[in-house]
Amino acid sequence: MQPLWTEMTPEKSSYFSMSHLNHKDVHVMIFIGFGFLMTFLKRYGFSSVGINLLLAAFGLQWGLLMQGIWHLDGGKIKVSILKIINADFSTATVLISFGAVLGKTSPVQLLIMTILEITIFSVNEHLVVGLMKASDVGASMVIHAYGAYFGLAVARVLYRPGLRNGHENDGSVYHSDMFAMIGTIFLWMFWPSFNSAIAEPPLSYTQLTAVINTYLSLATCVLSAYAISSLVEHKGKLDMVHIQNATLAGGVAVGTCADMSIGPFGAMLIGFVAGIISTVGFKYLSPILASNLGIQDTCGVHNLHGLPGILGGLAGIVAAALGKKDGASATMQAAALGSSLGFALVGGTITGLIMKLPFWGQPPDQNCFDDSIYWEVRNPIPHKYYLQVSDCLVRVAEGRFVCSSY
Amino acid sequence: MQPLWTEMTPEKSSYFSMSHLNHKDVHVMIFIGFGFLMTFLKRYGFSSVGINLLLAAFGLQWGLLMQGIWHLDGGKIKVSILKIINADFSTATVLISFGAVLGKTSPVQLLIMTILEITIFSVNEHLVVGLMKASDVGASMVIHAYGAYFGLAVARVLYRPGLRNGHENDGSVYHSDMFAMIGTIFLWMFWPSFNSAIAEPPLSYTQLTAVINTYLSLATCVLSAYAISSLVEHKGKLDMVHIQNATLAGGVAVGTCADMSIGPFGAMLIGFVAGIISTVGFKYLSPILASNLGIQDTCGVHNLHGLPGILGGLAGIVAAALGKKDGASATMQAAALGSSLGFALVGGTITGLIMKLPFWGQPPDQNCFDDSIYWEVRNPIPHKYYLQVSDCLVRVAEGRFVCSSY
Amino acid sequence: MQPLWTEMTPEKSSYFSMSHLNHKDVHVMIFIGFGFLMTFLKRYGFSSVGINLLLAAFGLQWGLLMQGIWHLDGGKIKVSILKIINADFSTATVLISFGAVLGKTSPVQLLIMTILEITIFSVNEHLVVGLMKASDVGASMVIHAYGAYFGLAVARVLYRPGLRNGHENDGSVYHSDMFAMIGTIFLWMFWPSFNSAIAEPPLSYTQLTAVINTYLSLATCVLSAYAISSLVEHKGKLDMVHIQNATLAGGVAVGTCADMSIGPFGAMLIGFVAGIISTVGFKYLSPILASNLGIQDTCGVHNLHGLPGILGGLAGIVAAALGKKDGASATMQAAALGSSLGFALVGGTITGLIMKLPFWGQPPDQNCFDDSIYWEVRNPIPHKYYLQVSDCLVRVAEGRFVCSSY
């Protein structure tokens, strides 16, 4: 099974170039975007960006194998940039699901999830894209909705009653929210590349359409996310959780339709609605899911990827029915959405049951959301360091605060 | 007014590709660069990067409309990558002005400024580029000088006597300065794309010239900024404010001449002078502007964009007089500089008067430079958290410090 | 000596475009990657990212001169994108060496090192690439091994007995480790561009090979680095030092062979081994070098660039012997490795002796690893600020802690 990449000819080098460039943008989204978006937790930054790197590096190799198995060429797996992009895409589903169970799972559990989720993804993708010929260029359905509901199903199976009343470390501090904004902004900027990366042929009207539709949807989504955040919060203030996440919902929701002739107003309408439902979901739906359905969704992936993913799928059905893309069928779009959700919920439940087996080193409730269980943390902030106040170094000796000279 | 992008033909796809790539670099400068550069304030990071995102997302839509109105095609606005780049450019003026009034204005005030500043920008740009045929490829005049003096005029109108003696939160802490360096470095790296993005035709000697001139100017500017910072500071130390800002002045100042045959020594001379005047401006001029003229310029945009923008305009006049660009006229260059400054000062003053109306939710003096007036801040650092010293959790009870076990 | 860039013709513009794009990725690695990777030290972030910017901006100008002197054209230095890439490359050697002496040298010392190291680099590169015709596309030998052993030789000469037992500030805190991960991830993502930037011709099978080999090597290296980190650490925990550095060793080690027909399994084998030796080096070898040989290697560049660089050189010898690249000779590859190490050790020793002269403003031992000796640090964290606990502002008065109301 020696992979080859001889399918590349010099004539195709320009094609390669553009694909490679889109690939690099997708790469930035996977490693910086997803990695830093999850660093909002006050004591879980090492795991967020570090385990994200581990899962992504592992997932893209596994994804390359899975991509290859569906497209064997004389019994061999041939590597191409397009397959590498698809491997990155399949990895994105895992990182979305990671967000749902962030802080409550061990690296070993997550590696198991990576193997299973990418494998099941490749089956669903083959079914949806290969057999149904459904259109999903920016993968609202096969990546975002699939990844979100897969992760929510896992989270449901791994429900922890001990965290019902929250956890001291399940929240942000000022600087952790700043790190998370690095992730948000890089995701926001490069989303047009994500939604246009596999548009065919790469250097064309179609790809340009996908870029501009995504661009407009994202820009509009920012406005509605800010407006609704301010509306639903105390005294009209903005909430960092909404800004970090709901501003991206427009990119998710326009995914399926990105390369269709939906026009700028279509794209902006999708982005506008996505920003609203995402923010409202964070504010009102997530607490209900946690308290009533036992779905503890750490990052709120339901609001960033789940609901906007379904919105994207529905928009695709409508656009296909309105004839916005040659050859697209509303029936097949609906079947693709159903298939993606079905594989996600069934696959996620089975995966959750396997992850629940008691020997994968899962953290006890009190160590959730805490890097120090899996990482050497030399100097945790703000805990356990000697503190200097004015010119004194504060220590505790015999139960009293003692001021030593510095 | 249905936008169309049918002007794209497959033959133009390569052109599109390069433009799209430059556009992505400009995008990074707008959202990461400007956003993080302003996070240096200790308690204003959410607003810096968050409101930057809001203004930019809104501004690029408004800018696209304004661009379109000057270039109607059969009564319709056609969207192209070049128009999107220009929309990003028009947004940059607002973000520059934002720096002058950072911490002292409400989001609503800033959205009003966005609408007015971009509208007036599009008039000035049409006059300077369309009618005068002045040369300003990297926009030293129409973006940097315009944005800076517009913002300074607004700041003058919004003068707050209550902040005359400074404000506790108008300064940086260690980690906020680190976040700001993310902005600085991304701006520095991608400035060659900014100055060459609209060079015509894209894939040519002209664009390459703009890239290399900018590259050399920036590299030289770093050296003079460090040297002068060390010279003017106590004990030869460096000042983060200078490093974060003055190292970029070379990119601003070489903007107008970037595509002219000024040669590497011309570019390096411009960068060298820009680094000097920018650093000296931060050290000596800004305090004078604040105390004598009532211009409270939070980020020092006068030193990063104002003075280097004028330097760029002057360099353009000299270069045109020396015949460094075919068809460029020193007279028209001077007129362009005057026009940009005039529109900036008049437009900024009018905009400031509108922003001064008392119902836009402007913050009271004591809440300036503080995120918590517009954002839900859960755990402000370094205030108001329980602190652990050694193995004790320090609380205050009945006026005494109490050590509870952790 | 007027530089010209007339060698660019419109026909070469596509070539230029791709080179420019690779150049931008290399630029991100130099300024963000190296800069932030070194911010892991708790009190040395300004210097890490700030002095990195200074050295890189100076080094790339000096490197452009040095590149030009070897390739004079009619007595003139012609500037091209390829020469600019090579100037960035020569700067990388300095930034690698900077890591070895980080925190223990003054800016003046480092500028001297920059001049000497780049000059010697250009001699070695001319010898290895120009005369020996050795193959080193990703520069495992001429950049990584050279830069590392040059820096280690300097560090040996500048040995500080006073730091034998460590230094309070020679370590990380939580957020400084997070900033360092920004450097790690950007280096990791763009390493394929580094290793393929000078592959000839740019848009071809060869460049694609270099991209994919590097990609696979890096992905595998992450897995072995995580596995070994967990194996060698207390209780199976991960260590941020390993994750920040050893995950990149695969990019270093595959450099020499990146454009050879080593196949995916060859690339993955190299990455796998690199991750192991790098992590083991950090854990076991660095302490021995410090205590027994007097080599105080602040960032552990021996483990990230030194050992993997030698591994890359050895892999290149083997690959050449196996005929994996037309025209490559195992003898010449071995000579290139020897030459690079020889120039590094001799050059580094001489440079170190010059840097040891007592008038370059080197910091005393107690001020090592501390920004405040070279920077205005307004509000160092966590030292010397008034702290609020609950609703009290804690001050020290007459040796007692006093609670003032806020």
Side-chain angles (χ1 to χ4, degrees):
Chain A
M1 203 183 68
Q2 168 84 10
L4 295 172
W5 41 79
T6 47
E7 66 194 60
M8 176 63 49
T9 63
E11 292 74 34
K12 292 183 186 166
S13 65
S14 172
Y15 176 103
F16 152 63
S17 310
M18 282 310 295
S19 300
H20 182 38
L21 295 166
N22 279 322
H23 172 243
K24 289 196 285 194
D25 291 353
V26 172
H27 229 45
V28 172
M29 294 176 72
I30 295 283
F31 289 91
I32 287 285
F34 282 107
F36 277 91
L37 184 59
M38 293 188 284
T39 62
F40 73 100
L41 288 173
K42 70 178 86 161
R43 307 259 297 143
Y44 212 63
F46 291 5
S47 301
S48 295
V49 72
I51 304 298
N52 186 79
L53 171 61
L54 173 63
L55 298 185
F58 176 64
L60 59 85
Q61 295 175 70
W62 187 254
L64 209 50
L65 269 181
M66 290 298 110
Q67 290 295 319
I69 283 171
W70 288 108
H71 304 281
L72 284 179
D73 188 340
K76 295 189 173 180
I77 292 175
K78 293 194 177 176
V79 177
S80 69
I81 291 290
L82 209 64
K83 280 195 190 126
I84 286 183
I85 293 177
N86 272 319
D88 264 23
F89 276 5
S90 65
T91 299
T93 63
V94 179
L95 303 178
I96 292 167
S97 302
F98 181 29
V101 297
L102 187 74
K104 299 167 298 190
T105 39
S106 71
V108 175
Q109 285 182 297
L110 293 165
L111 288 170
I112 293 168
M113 186 175 84
T114 304
I115 293 176
L116 295 173
E117 184 163 3
I118 289 179
T119 307
I120 299 168
F121 165 83
S122 78
V123 176
N124 181 55
E125 196 215 13
H126 187 69
L127 190 67
V128 164
V129 178
L131 302 184
M132 296 183 190
K133 307 284 180 199
S135 186
D136 197 17
V137 70
S140 303
M141 299 182 288
V142 299
I143 293 179
H144 295 289
Y146 171 82
Y149 289 98
F150 193 103
L152 294 170
V154 171
R156 179 65 194 82
V157 175
L158 300 182
Y159 175 61
R160 287 174 180 261
L163 301 180
R164 208 171 37 230
N165 299 315
H167 187 289
E168 182 200 0
N169 287 330
D170 183 11
S172 65
V173 291
Y174 197 74
H175 281 139
S176 67
D177 269 327
M178 290 299 299
F179 280 111
M181 282 303 283
I182 298 175
T184 299
I185 304 283
F186 273 103
L187 285 170
W188 196 90
M189 293 189 301
F190 290 149
W191 214 292
S193 298
F194 190 95
N195 282 357
S196 67
I198 58 169
E200 293 278 356
L203 304 176
S204 68
Y205 179 87
T206 305
Q207 193 177 51
L208 179 60
T209 303
V211 166
I212 292 180
N213 279 337
T214 307
Y215 183 85
L216 292 173
S217 176
L218 283 165
T220 325
C221 173
V222 168
L223 303 188
S224 61
Y226 272 81
I228 302 298
S229 180
S230 176
L231 267 179
V232 300
E233 283 299 315
H234 180 62
K235 289 189 184 174
K237 291 187 180 185
L238 298 163
D239 190 318
M240 260 300 185
V241 172
H242 306 159
I243 303 313
Q244 284 160 4
N245 292 281
T247 52
L248 302 167
V252 173
V254 83
T256 300
C257 303
D259 63 344
M260 302 184 183
S261 309
I262 54 174
F265 293 132
M268 293 167 89
L269 180 65
I270 291 173
F272 188 75
V273 174
I276 294 172
I277 63 168
S278 183
T279 312
V280 169
F282 273 104
K283 184 70 183 175
Y284 300 110
L285 194 55
S286 283
I288 294 173
L289 290 184
S291 59
N292 294 11
L293 298 182
I295 300 174
Q296 296 159 329
D297 177 5
T298 310
C299 294
V301 301
H302 188 232
N303 311 303
L304 171 49
H305 301 279
L307 293 175
I310 289 182
L311 175 64
L314 296 176
I317 296 170
V318 173
L322 296 174
K324 297 298 188 188
K325 186 175 180 179
D326 289 347
S329 137
T331 314
M332 283 303 157
Q333 293 300 118
L337 180 57
S339 170
S340 299
L341 294 176
F343 274 98
L345 293 172
V346 174
T349 304
I350 295 169
T351 303
L353 289 170
I354 295 170
M355 290 167 72
K356 207 176 182 177
L357 297 174
F359 37 81
W360 306 126
Q362 36 272 76
D365 285 355
Q366 71 269 26
N367 295 114
C368 281
F369 312 109
D370 191 340
D371 276 335
S372 62
I373 188 169
Y374 299 119
W375 297 82
E376 299 280 348
V377 179
R378 288 180 187 77
N379 199 343
I381 281 176
H383 294 307
K384 288 187 193 275
Y385 59 91
Y386 286 87
L387 179 88
Q388 188 166 0
V389 178
S390 273
D391 292 318
C392 289
L393 187 70
V394 180
R395 287 182 303 111
V396 174
E398 300 178 5
R400 293 180 57 251
F401 300 102
V402 176
C403 168
S404 332
S405 78
Y406 179 43
Chain B
M1 200 183 71
Q2 168 85 10
L4 295 171
W5 41 81
T6 47
E7 66 192 62
M8 175 62 49
T9 63
E11 292 74 32
K12 292 184 186 167
S13 65
S14 173
Y15 178 102
F16 152 62
S17 309
M18 282 310 295
S19 301
H20 182 38
L21 295 168
N22 279 323
H23 171 244
K24 288 195 286 193
D25 291 353
V26 173
H27 229 45
V28 172
M29 294 175 72
I30 296 283
F31 289 90
I32 287 283
F34 282 106
F36 277 90
L37 185 59
M38 292 188 285
T39 60
F40 73 99
L41 289 173
K42 69 179 86 161
R43 309 258 298 143
Y44 212 62
F46 290 7
S47 301
S48 296
V49 72
I51 304 298
N52 186 78
L53 171 61
L54 173 63
L55 298 184
F58 176 65
L60 60 87
Q61 295 176 70
W62 186 255
L64 208 51
L65 268 181
M66 290 297 111
Q67 289 295 319
I69 284 170
W70 289 109
H71 304 281
L72 283 180
D73 188 340
K76 295 189 173 181
I77 291 175
K78 292 195 178 176
V79 178
S80 69
I81 290 290
L82 210 64
K83 281 195 190 127
I84 286 183
I85 292 177
N86 272 319
D88 263 22
F89 277 4
S90 65
T91 299
T93 64
V94 179
L95 303 179
I96 292 167
S97 303
F98 181 29
V101 297
L102 188 73
K104 299 168 297 190
T105 39
S106 71
V108 175
Q109 284 181 300
L110 294 166
L111 287 170
I112 293 167
M113 186 175 85
T114 304
I115 293 175
L116 295 173
E117 183 162 3
I118 289 179
T119 307
I120 299 168
F121 165 84
S122 78
V123 176
N124 181 54
E125 196 216 11
H126 188 67
L127 190 68
V128 164
V129 178
L131 301 184
M132 297 182 189
K133 307 284 181 199
S135 186
D136 197 17
V137 69
S140 303
M141 300 182 288
V142 301
I143 293 178
H144 294 288
Y146 171 81
Y149 288 98
F150 193 103
L152 294 169
V154 171
R156 178 66 194 84
V157 176
L158 301 182
Y159 175 62
R160 287 174 180 262
L163 300 181
R164 208 171 38 228
N165 299 316
H167 187 290
E168 182 200 1
N169 287 330
D170 184 10
S172 65
V173 290
Y174 197 75
H175 281 139
S176 67
D177 270 327
M178 291 299 300
F179 280 111
M181 282 302 284
I182 298 175
T184 298
I185 303 283
F186 273 103
L187 285 169
W188 197 90
M189 293 189 302
F190 290 149
W191 214 292
S193 298
F194 190 95
N195 281 357
S196 67
I198 58 169
E200 294 277 358
L203 303 177
S204 69
Y205 179 87
T206 305
Q207 193 177 51
L208 179 60
T209 302
V211 166
I212 291 181
N213 279 337
T214 307
Y215 183 85
L216 292 173
S217 177
L218 282 166
T220 325
C221 174
V222 168
L223 302 188
S224 61
Y226 272 82
I228 303 298
S229 179
S230 176
L231 268 178
V232 300
E233 284 298 316
H234 180 62
K235 288 191 186 172
K237 290 188 181 184
L238 299 163
D239 190 320
M240 259 299 186
V241 172
H242 307 160
I243 303 313
Q244 283 160 4
N245 292 281
T247 52
L248 301 168
V252 174
V254 84
T256 301
C257 302
D259 63 344
M260 302 185 182
S261 310
I262 55 174
F265 292 131
M268 291 166 90
L269 179 65
I270 291 173
F272 188 75
V273 174
I276 293 172
I277 62 168
S278 182
T279 311
V280 169
F282 273 103
K283 183 70 183 176
Y284 300 110
L285 195 54
S286 282
I288 293 172
L289 289 184
S291 59
N292 294 11
L293 298 182
I295 300 173
Q296 296 160 328
D297 177 7
T298 310
C299 294
V301 300
H302 188 231
N303 311 302
L304 172 49
H305 301 279
L307 293 175
I310 290 181
L311 174 64
L314 296 176
I317 296 169
V318 173
L322 295 175
K324 299 297 188 189
K325 186 175 181 179
D326 290 347
S329 138
T331 315
M332 283 303 156
Q333 293 300 118
L337 180 58
S339 170
S340 300
L341 293 176
F343 274 98
L345 292 172
V346 174
T349 303
I350 295 169
T351 303
L353 290 170
I354 295 170
M355 289 167 71
K356 207 176 182 176
L357 296 175
F359 37 79
W360 306 125
Q362 37 271 76
D365 286 355
Q366 71 269 26
N367 295 114
C368 281
F369 311 111
D370 191 339
D371 276 335
S372 62
I373 188 170
Y374 299 119
W375 297 82
E376 299 281 350
V377 179
R378 288 180 187 76
N379 198 342
I381 281 177
H383 294 306
K384 288 189 193 273
Y385 58 92
Y386 286 88
L387 180 86
Q388 187 166 2
V389 178
S390 272
D391 291 319
C392 290
L393 187 70
V394 180
R395 288 181 303 110
V396 174
E398 300 177 4
R400 294 178 57 250
F401 301 102
V402 176
C403 169
S404 331
S405 79
Y406 180 43
Chain C
M1 204 184 65
Q2 169 84 11
L4 296 172
W5 41 80
T6 48
E7 66 193 61
M8 176 63 48
T9 63
E11 293 74 33
K12 292 185 186 166
S13 66
S14 173
Y15 176 103
F16 152 63
S17 309
M18 282 308 297
S19 300
H20 182 38
L21 295 168
N22 279 323
H23 172 244
K24 289 195 285 194
D25 291 353
V26 172
H27 229 45
V28 172
M29 294 175 72
I30 295 284
F31 289 89
I32 287 284
F34 281 106
F36 277 90
L37 184 60
M38 292 188 285
T39 60
F40 74 99
L41 287 173
K42 68 179 87 163
R43 307 260 296 144
Y44 212 62
F46 290 6
S47 301
S48 296
V49 72
I51 304 298
N52 186 79
L53 172 61
L54 174 63
L55 299 184
F58 176 64
L60 58 88
Q61 294 175 71
W62 187 255
L64 209 50
L65 269 181
M66 291 298 111
Q67 289 295 319
I69 283 171
W70 288 108
H71 304 281
L72 285 178
D73 188 340
K76 294 188 175 183
I77 291 176
K78 292 193 176 175
V79 177
S80 69
I81 290 291
L82 209 64
K83 281 194 189 126
I84 286 184
I85 293 178
N86 272 318
D88 263 23
F89 276 5
S90 65
T91 299
T93 65
V94 179
L95 304 179
I96 292 167
S97 302
F98 181 28
V101 298
L102 188 73
K104 299 167 298 189
T105 39
S106 71
V108 175
Q109 285 182 298
L110 293 167
L111 287 169
I112 293 167
M113 187 175 84
T114 304
I115 293 176
L116 295 173
E117 184 163 3
I118 288 178
T119 307
I120 300 169
F121 166 83
S122 79
V123 176
N124 180 55
E125 196 215 12
H126 188 67
L127 191 66
V128 164
V129 178
L131 302 185
M132 295 183 189
K133 308 285 182 199
S135 187
D136 197 17
V137 70
S140 303
M141 299 181 289
V142 302
I143 293 178
H144 295 288
Y146 171 81
Y149 287 99
F150 193 103
L152 294 170
V154 171
R156 178 67 194 83
V157 175
L158 300 182
Y159 175 62
R160 288 174 179 260
L163 301 180
R164 210 172 35 230
N165 299 315
H167 186 290
E168 182 199 0
N169 287 331
D170 184 10
S172 64
V173 290
Y174 197 74
H175 282 139
S176 68
D177 269 326
M178 290 299 299
F179 280 112
M181 282 303 284
I182 298 175
T184 298
I185 304 284
F186 273 104
L187 286 170
W188 197 89
M189 293 189 302
F190 290 149
W191 215 292
S193 298
F194 190 95
N195 281 358
S196 67
I198 58 169
E200 292 280 357
L203 303 177
S204 68
Y205 179 87
T206 305
Q207 195 177 52
L208 178 59
T209 303
V211 166
I212 292 181
N213 279 337
T214 308
Y215 183 85
L216 293 173
S217 177
L218 283 165
T220 325
C221 174
V222 168
L223 303 189
S224 61
Y226 272 81
I228 302 298
S229 180
S230 177
L231 267 179
V232 300
E233 284 299 315
H234 180 62
K235 287 190 189 174
K237 291 187 180 183
L238 299 163
D239 190 319
M240 260 301 188
V241 172
H242 306 160
I243 302 314
Q244 284 160 4
N245 292 281
T247 51
L248 302 167
V252 173
V254 83
T256 301
C257 302
D259 63 346
M260 302 185 182
S261 309
I262 54 174
F265 293 132
M268 292 167 91
L269 180 65
I270 291 173
F272 187 76
V273 174
I276 294 172
I277 64 169
S278 182
T279 311
V280 169
F282 273 103
K283 183 70 183 176
Y284 300 110
L285 196 54
S286 283
I288 293 173
L289 291 183
S291 60
N292 294 9
L293 299 182
I295 300 173
Q296 296 160 326
D297 177 6
T298 310
C299 295
V301 300
H302 188 232
N303 311 303
L304 171 48
H305 301 279
L307 292 175
I310 290 182
L311 174 64
L314 296 176
I317 297 171
V318 172
L322 295 175
K324 298 298 188 188
K325 185 174 181 180
D326 289 347
S329 138
T331 314
M332 283 304 157
Q333 293 300 119
L337 180 58
S339 171
S340 300
L341 294 176
F343 273 98
L345 293 172
V346 174
T349 303
I350 295 168
T351 302
L353 290 170
I354 295 170
M355 289 167 72
K356 206 176 183 177
L357 296 174
F359 38 80
W360 305 126
Q362 36 271 77
D365 286 354
Q366 71 270 25
N367 295 113
C368 282
F369 311 110
D370 191 340
D371 276 335
S372 61
I373 188 169
Y374 299 119
W375 297 83
E376 299 281 349
V377 179
R378 288 180 187 77
N379 198 343
I381 281 176
H383 293 305
K384 287 188 195 273
Y385 59 92
Y386 286 87
L387 179 87
Q388 187 165 2
V389 178
S390 271
D391 292 318
C392 289
L393 188 68
V394 180
R395 289 181 303 109
V396 174
E398 300 177 5
R400 292 180 57 250
F401 301 101
V402 176
C403 169
S404 331
S405 77
Y406 179 44

